[in-house]
Coordinates of all heavy atoms in Angstrom, one line a residue:
F1 N 0.9 -1.2 0.0 CA 0.0 0.0 0.0 C 0.9 1.2 0.0 O 1.7 1.4 0.9 CB -0.9 0.0 1.2 CG -2.0 1.1 1.1 CD1 -3.2 0.8 0.5 CD2 -1.8 2.4 1.5 CE1 -4.2 1.8 0.3 CE2 -2.8 3.4 1.3 CZ -4.0 3.0 0.7
A2 N 0.8 2.0 -1.0 CA 1.6 3.3 -1.2 C 0.7 4.4 -0.8 O -0.2 4.9 -1.5 CB 2.1 3.4 -2.6
A3 N 0.9 4.9 0.5 CA 0.1 6.1 0.9 C 0.5 7.3 0.3 O 1.7 7.6 0.2 CB 0.2 6.2 2.5
E4 N -0.4 8.1 -0.3 CA -0.1 9.3 -1.1 C -0.2 10.6 -0.3 O 0.7 11.4 -0.4 CB -1.0 9.3 -2.3 CG -0.6 8.2 -3.4 CD 0.7 8.5 -4.0 OE1 1.0 9.6 -4.5 OE2 1.6 7.6 -4.0
S5 N -1.3 10.8 0.3 CA -1.5 12.1 1.0 C -2.6 11.9 2.0 O -3.4 11.0 1.9 CB -1.8 13.2 0.0 OG -1.8 14.5 0.7
M6 N -2.7 12.8 3.0 CA -3.8 12.9 3.9 C -4.1 14.3 4.3 O -3.3 15.2 4.0 CB -3.4 12.0 5.2 CG -2.2 12.5 6.0 SD -1.8 11.3 7.3 CE -0.4 12.0 8.1
F7 N -5.3 14.5 4.9 CA -5.7 15.9 5.2 C -6.6 15.8 6.5 O -7.1 14.7 6.8 CB -6.5 16.5 4.1 CG -8.0 16.1 4.0 CD1 -8.9 16.9 4.5 CD2 -8.3 14.9 3.5 CE1 -10.3 16.6 4.4 CE2 -9.7 14.5 3.4 CZ -10.6 15.4 3.9
H8 N -6.8 16.9 7.1 CA -7.7 17.0 8.3 C -8.4 18.4 8.3 O -7.8 19.4 7.8 CB -6.9 16.8 9.6 CG -5.9 17.9 9.8 ND1 -4.6 17.9 9.3 CD2 -6.0 19.1 10.6 CE1 -4.0 19.0 9.7 NE2 -4.8 19.7 10.5
R9 N -9.6 18.4 8.7 CA -10.3 19.6 9.0 C -10.7 19.8 10.4 O -11.2 20.8 10.8 CB -11.6 19.6 8.1 CG -11.4 19.6 6.6 CD -12.6 19.7 5.8 NE -12.3 19.8 4.4 CZ -12.8 19.0 3.4 NH1 -13.7 18.1 3.8 NH2 -12.5 19.1 2.2
E10 N -10.3 18.8 11.2 CA -10.4 18.9 12.7 C -9.1 18.2 13.2 O -8.5 17.3 12.6 CB -11.6 18.2 13.3 CG -12.9 18.9 13.0 CD -14.0 18.3 13.8 OE1 -13.8 17.6 14.9 OE2 -15.2 18.5 13.4
R11 N -8.7 18.7 14.4 CA -7.4 18.2 14.9 C -7.4 16.7 15.1 O -8.4 16.1 15.5 CB -7.2 18.8 16.3 CG -5.9 18.5 17.0 CD -5.8 19.2 18.3 NE -4.5 18.9 18.9 CZ -4.1 19.4 20.1 NH1 -4.9 20.3 20.8 NH2 -2.9 19.1 20.6
D12 N -6.4 16.1 14.7 CA -6.1 14.6 14.8 C -6.9 13.8 13.8 O -6.7 12.5 13.7 CB -6.4 14.1 16.2 CG -5.4 14.6 17.2 OD1 -4.3 14.9 16.8 OD2 -5.8 14.6 18.4
A13 N -7.7 14.4 12.9 CA -8.6 13.6 12.0 C -7.7 12.8 11.0 O -8.0 11.6 10.7 CB -9.6 14.4 11.3
S14 N -6.6 13.4 10.5 CA -5.8 12.6 9.6 C -5.1 11.5 10.3 O -4.8 10.4 9.8 CB -4.8 13.5 8.9 OG -4.0 14.2 9.8
K15 N -4.7 11.7 11.6 CA -4.0 10.7 12.3 C -5.0 9.5 12.6 O -4.6 8.4 12.7 CB -3.4 11.2 13.6 CG -2.3 12.2 13.4 CD -1.8 12.8 14.7 CE -0.7 13.8 14.5 NZ -0.2 14.4 15.8
V16 N -6.2 9.9 12.9 CA -7.2 8.8 13.1 C -7.4 8.0 11.8 O -7.4 6.8 11.9 CB -8.6 9.4 13.5 CG1 -9.7 8.4 13.5 CG2 -8.5 10.1 14.9
A17 N -7.4 8.7 10.7 CA -7.4 7.9 9.4 C -6.2 7.0 9.2 O -6.4 5.8 8.8 CB -7.5 8.9 8.2
L18 N -5.0 7.5 9.6 CA -3.8 6.7 9.4 C -3.8 5.5 10.4 O -3.4 4.4 10.0 CB -2.6 7.6 9.6 CG -1.2 6.9 9.4 CD1 -1.1 6.4 8.0 CD2 -0.1 7.9 9.7
Y19 N -4.3 5.8 11.6 CA -4.4 4.7 12.6 C -5.3 3.6 12.0 O -4.9 2.4 12.1 CB -5.0 5.2 13.9 CG -5.4 4.2 14.9 CD1 -4.4 3.8 15.9 CD2 -6.6 3.5 14.9 CE1 -4.7 2.8 16.8 CE2 -6.9 2.5 15.8 CZ -6.0 2.2 16.8 OH -6.3 1.2 17.7
H20 N -6.4 3.9 11.5 CA -7.3 2.9 11.0 C -6.8 2.3 9.7 O -7.0 1.1 9.4 CB -8.7 3.5 10.7 CG -9.5 3.7 12.0 ND1 -10.2 2.6 12.6 CD2 -9.7 4.7 12.8 CE1 -10.8 3.1 13.7 NE2 -10.5 4.3 13.8
L21 N -6.0 3.0 8.9 CA -5.4 2.4 7.7 C -4.4 1.3 8.1 O -4.4 0.2 7.6 CB -4.7 3.5 6.9 CG -3.8 3.0 5.7 CD1 -4.7 2.3 4.7 CD2 -3.0 4.1 5.1
V22 N -3.5 1.6 9.1 CA -2.5 0.7 9.5 C -3.2 -0.6 10.1 O -2.8 -1.7 9.8 CB -1.6 1.3 10.5 CG1 -0.7 0.2 11.2 CG2 -0.7 2.4 9.9
K23 N -4.2 -0.4 10.9 CA -5.0 -1.5 11.4 C -5.6 -2.4 10.3 O -5.5 -3.6 10.3 CB -6.1 -1.1 12.4 CG -6.8 -2.2 13.1 CD -7.9 -1.7 14.0 CE -8.5 -2.8 14.8 NZ -9.2 -3.8 13.9
H24 N -6.2 -1.7 9.3 CA -6.8 -2.4 8.2 C -5.8 -3.2 7.4 O -6.1 -4.3 7.0 CB -7.6 -1.4 7.4 CG -8.3 -2.0 6.2 ND1 -9.6 -2.6 6.4 CD2 -8.1 -2.0 4.9 CE1 -10.0 -3.0 5.3 NE2 -9.2 -2.7 4.3
L25 N -4.7 -2.6 7.1 CA -3.6 -3.3 6.4 C -3.1 -4.5 7.1 O -2.9 -5.5 6.5 CB -2.5 -2.3 6.1 CG -2.8 -1.1 5.2 CD1 -1.6 -0.2 5.0 CD2 -3.4 -1.5 3.8
N26 N -2.9 -4.4 8.4 CA -2.5 -5.5 9.2 C -3.6 -6.6 9.1 O -3.3 -7.8 8.9 CB -2.2 -5.1 10.6 CG -0.8 -4.6 10.8 OD1 0.1 -5.2 10.5 ND2 -0.7 -3.4 11.3
D27 N -4.8 -6.2 9.3 CA -5.9 -7.2 9.2 C -6.0 -7.9 7.9 O -6.4 -9.1 7.8 CB -7.3 -6.5 9.6 CG -7.4 -6.1 11.0 OD1 -6.6 -6.5 11.8 OD2 -8.3 -5.3 11.3
R28 N -5.7 -7.2 6.8 CA -5.8 -7.8 5.5 C -4.6 -8.5 5.0 O -4.6 -9.1 3.9 CB -6.2 -6.7 4.5 CG -7.4 -5.9 4.8 CD -8.7 -6.7 4.7 NE -9.0 -7.2 3.3 CZ -10.1 -7.7 3.0 NH1 -11.1 -7.9 3.8 NH2 -10.3 -8.1 1.7
G29 N -3.5 -8.4 5.7 CA -2.3 -9.2 5.4 C -1.3 -8.4 4.5 O -0.5 -9.1 3.8
Y30 N -1.4 -7.1 4.5 CA -0.4 -6.3 3.7 C 1.0 -6.5 4.4 O 1.1 -6.7 5.6 CB -0.8 -4.9 3.7 CG -1.9 -4.6 2.6 CD1 -3.2 -4.9 2.8 CD2 -1.5 -4.1 1.4 CE1 -4.2 -4.7 1.9 CE2 -2.5 -3.8 0.4 CZ -3.8 -4.2 0.7 OH -4.8 -3.9 -0.3
Q31 N 2.0 -6.2 3.6 CA 3.4 -6.4 4.1 C 4.2 -5.1 4.0 O 5.3 -5.1 4.7 CB 4.1 -7.5 3.2 CG 3.4 -8.9 3.3 CD 3.5 -9.4 4.7 OE1 4.5 -9.5 5.3 NE2 2.3 -9.9 5.2
L32 N 3.8 -4.1 3.2 CA 4.7 -3.0 3.0 C 3.8 -1.7 2.9 O 2.9 -1.7 2.0 CB 5.5 -3.2 1.7 CG 6.5 -2.1 1.3 CD1 7.6 -1.9 2.4 CD2 7.2 -2.5 0.0

């Protein structure tokens, strides 16, 4: 998974997105 960019309109919203992305990638078996 090649992460390209992220944004937020409220504090920490992009970090919340990244947190869930990492969890999702681990759950789906991604390696990189």
Side-chain angles (χ1 to χ4, degrees):
F1 191 90
E4 288 292 309
S5 188
M6 58 187 183
F7 82 101
H8 65 277
R9 295 182 178 131
E10 289 192 21
R11 184 177 184 180
D12 291 335
S14 59
K15 293 179 184 178
V16 170
L18 185 59
Y19 172 91
H20 283 279
L21 173 64
V22 171
K23 182 179 185 303
H24 186 75
L25 297 179
N26 276 304
D27 290 345
R28 302 294 295 190
Y30 281 78
Q31 300 296 310
L32 184 59

